[in-house]
PDB file of all heavy atoms in Angstrom:
ATOM      1  N   PRO A 295      72.091  46.609 -66.789  1.00 96.00           N
ATOM      2  CA  PRO A 295      70.919  45.855 -67.246  1.00 96.00           C
ATOM      3  C   PRO A 295      69.610  46.578 -66.923  1.00 96.00           C
ATOM      4  O   PRO A 295      69.393  47.009 -65.794  1.00 96.00           O
ATOM      5  CB  PRO A 295      71.025  44.544 -66.462  1.00 96.00           C
ATOM      6  CG  PRO A 295      71.754  44.922 -65.214  1.00 96.00           C
ATOM      7  CD  PRO A 295      72.723  45.987 -65.617  1.00 96.00           C
ATOM      8  N   VAL A 296      68.773  46.703 -67.924  1.00 95.00           N
ATOM      9  CA  VAL A 296      67.505  47.395 -67.735  1.00 95.00           C
ATOM     10  C   VAL A 296      66.630  46.689 -66.715  1.00 95.00           C
ATOM     11  O   VAL A 296      65.825  47.309 -66.026  1.00 95.00           O
ATOM     12  CB  VAL A 296      66.768  47.532 -69.096  1.00 95.00           C
ATOM     13  CG1 VAL A 296      66.405  46.162 -69.666  1.00 95.00           C
ATOM     14  CG2 VAL A 296      65.538  48.413 -68.961  1.00 95.00           C
ATOM     15  N   TRP A 297      66.796  45.361 -66.578  1.00 94.00           N
ATOM     16  CA  TRP A 297      65.959  44.563 -65.682  1.00 94.00           C
ATOM     17  C   TRP A 297      66.259  44.825 -64.214  1.00 94.00           C
ATOM     18  O   TRP A 297      65.419  44.541 -63.352  1.00 94.00           O
ATOM     19  CB  TRP A 297      66.150  43.071 -65.973  1.00 94.00           C
ATOM     20  CG  TRP A 297      66.371  42.780 -67.415  1.00 94.00           C
ATOM     21  CD1 TRP A 297      67.530  42.371 -68.009  1.00 94.00           C
ATOM     22  CD2 TRP A 297      65.409  42.902 -68.483  1.00 94.00           C
ATOM     23  NE1 TRP A 297      67.371  42.225 -69.362  1.00 94.00           N
ATOM     24  CE2 TRP A 297      66.071  42.540 -69.681  1.00 94.00           C
ATOM     25  CE3 TRP A 297      64.070  43.289 -68.534  1.00 94.00           C
ATOM     26  CZ2 TRP A 297      65.428  42.545 -70.912  1.00 94.00           C
ATOM     27  CZ3 TRP A 297      63.436  43.293 -69.765  1.00 94.00           C
ATOM     28  CH2 TRP A 297      64.101  42.928 -70.929  1.00 94.00           C
ATOM     29  N   LEU A 298      67.448  45.326 -63.898  1.00 95.00           N
ATOM     30  CA  LEU A 298      67.845  45.563 -62.505  1.00 95.00           C
ATOM     31  C   LEU A 298      68.112  47.046 -62.257  1.00 95.00           C
ATOM     32  O   LEU A 298      69.001  47.402 -61.494  1.00 95.00           O
ATOM     33  CB  LEU A 298      69.091  44.733 -62.156  1.00 95.00           C
ATOM     34  CG  LEU A 298      68.950  43.217 -62.265  1.00 95.00           C
ATOM     35  CD1 LEU A 298      70.266  42.529 -61.904  1.00 95.00           C
ATOM     36  CD2 LEU A 298      67.829  42.700 -61.373  1.00 95.00           C
ATOM     37  N   LYS A 299      67.326  47.884 -62.899  1.00 93.00           N
ATOM     38  CA  LYS A 299      67.451  49.334 -62.745  1.00 93.00           C
ATOM     39  C   LYS A 299      68.856  49.824 -63.089  1.00 93.00           C
ATOM     40  O   LYS A 299      69.403  50.711 -62.446  1.00 93.00           O
ATOM     41  CB  LYS A 299      67.056  49.760 -61.339  1.00 93.00           C
ATOM     42  CG  LYS A 299      65.603  49.439 -60.987  1.00 93.00           C
ATOM     43  CD  LYS A 299      65.254  49.887 -59.583  1.00 93.00           C
ATOM     44  CE  LYS A 299      63.797  49.559 -59.259  1.00 93.00           C
ATOM     45  NZ  LYS A 299      63.431  49.960 -57.875  1.00 93.00           N
ATOM     46  N   PHE A 300      69.458  49.184 -64.090  1.00 94.00           N
ATOM     47  CA  PHE A 300      70.773  49.565 -64.626  1.00 94.00           C
ATOM     48  C   PHE A 300      71.907  49.386 -63.617  1.00 94.00           C
ATOM     49  O   PHE A 300      72.947  50.026 -63.741  1.00 94.00           O
ATOM     50  CB  PHE A 300      70.735  51.011 -65.147  1.00 94.00           C
ATOM     51  CG  PHE A 300      69.670  51.227 -66.191  1.00 94.00           C
ATOM     52  CD1 PHE A 300      68.471  51.845 -65.855  1.00 94.00           C
ATOM     53  CD2 PHE A 300      69.854  50.783 -67.485  1.00 94.00           C
ATOM     54  CE1 PHE A 300      67.477  52.034 -66.807  1.00 94.00           C
ATOM     55  CE2 PHE A 300      68.857  50.957 -68.451  1.00 94.00           C
ATOM     56  CZ  PHE A 300      67.672  51.587 -68.108  1.00 94.00           C
ATOM     57  N   ARG A 301      71.723  48.493 -62.649  1.00 93.00           N
ATOM     58  CA  ARG A 301      72.789  48.192 -61.674  1.00 93.00           C
ATOM     59  C   ARG A 301      73.237  46.750 -61.877  1.00 93.00           C
ATOM     60  O   ARG A 301      72.624  45.810 -61.378  1.00 93.00           O
ATOM     61  CB  ARG A 301      72.265  48.394 -60.250  1.00 93.00           C
ATOM     62  CG  ARG A 301      71.918  49.842 -59.930  1.00 93.00           C
ATOM     63  CD  ARG A 301      71.322  49.976 -58.556  1.00 93.00           C
ATOM     64  NE  ARG A 301      72.225  49.497 -57.525  1.00 93.00           N
ATOM     65  CZ  ARG A 301      71.884  49.307 -56.267  1.00 93.00           C
ATOM     66  NH1 ARG A 301      70.627  49.546 -55.878  1.00 93.00           N
ATOM     67  NH2 ARG A 301      72.761  48.887 -55.381  1.00 93.00           N
ATOM     68  N   GLY A 302      74.289  46.573 -62.659  1.00 94.00           N
ATOM     69  CA  GLY A 302      74.743  45.239 -63.016  1.00 94.00           C
ATOM     70  C   GLY A 302      76.083  44.865 -62.421  1.00 94.00           C
ATOM     71  O   GLY A 302      76.457  45.336 -61.346  1.00 94.00           O
ATOM     72  N   GLY A 303      76.800  44.007 -63.146  1.00 94.00           N
ATOM     73  CA  GLY A 303      78.091  43.525 -62.675  1.00 94.00           C
ATOM     74  C   GLY A 303      79.229  44.437 -63.102  1.00 94.00           C
ATOM     75  O   GLY A 303      79.016  45.594 -63.470  1.00 94.00           O
ATOM     76  N   LYS A 304      80.440  43.885 -63.088  1.00 94.00           N
ATOM     77  CA  LYS A 304      81.618  44.702 -63.381  1.00 94.00           C
ATOM     78  C   LYS A 304      82.229  44.407 -64.742  1.00 94.00           C
ATOM     79  O   LYS A 304      83.185  45.052 -65.146  1.00 94.00           O
ATOM     80  CB  LYS A 304      82.649  44.536 -62.266  1.00 94.00           C
ATOM     81  CG  LYS A 304      82.099  45.065 -60.942  1.00 94.00           C
ATOM     82  CD  LYS A 304      83.104  44.971 -59.816  1.00 94.00           C
ATOM     83  CE  LYS A 304      82.492  45.540 -58.529  1.00 94.00           C
ATOM     84  NZ  LYS A 304      83.404  45.422 -57.378  1.00 94.00           N
ATOM     85  N   GLY A 305      81.693  43.412 -65.441  1.00 95.00           N
ATOM     86  CA  GLY A 305      82.013  43.242 -66.851  1.00 95.00           C
ATOM     87  C   GLY A 305      83.225  42.419 -67.221  1.00 95.00           C
ATOM     88  O   GLY A 305      83.521  42.268 -68.410  1.00 95.00           O
ATOM     89  N   VAL A 306      83.940  41.854 -66.260  1.00 95.00           N
ATOM     90  CA  VAL A 306      85.181  41.139 -66.590  1.00 95.00           C
ATOM     91  C   VAL A 306      84.888  39.858 -67.363  1.00 95.00           C
ATOM     92  O   VAL A 306      85.446  39.623 -68.443  1.00 95.00           O
ATOM     93  CB  VAL A 306      85.989  40.830 -65.313  1.00 95.00           C
ATOM     94  CG1 VAL A 306      87.242  40.028 -65.668  1.00 95.00           C
ATOM     95  CG2 VAL A 306      86.373  42.118 -64.603  1.00 95.00           C
ATOM     96  N   ALA A 307      84.006  39.004 -66.828  1.00 95.00           N
ATOM     97  CA  ALA A 307      83.705  37.737 -67.491  1.00 95.00           C
ATOM     98  C   ALA A 307      83.026  37.956 -68.837  1.00 95.00           C
ATOM     99  O   ALA A 307      83.332  37.272 -69.827  1.00 95.00           O
ATOM    100  CB  ALA A 307      82.819  36.870 -66.591  1.00 95.00           C
TER     101      ALA A 307
END
Side-chain angles (χ1 to χ4, degrees):
V296 64
W297 325 109
L298 299 179
K299 298 180 180 179
F300 303 102
R301 294 176 59 191
K304 296 182 179 177
V306 177

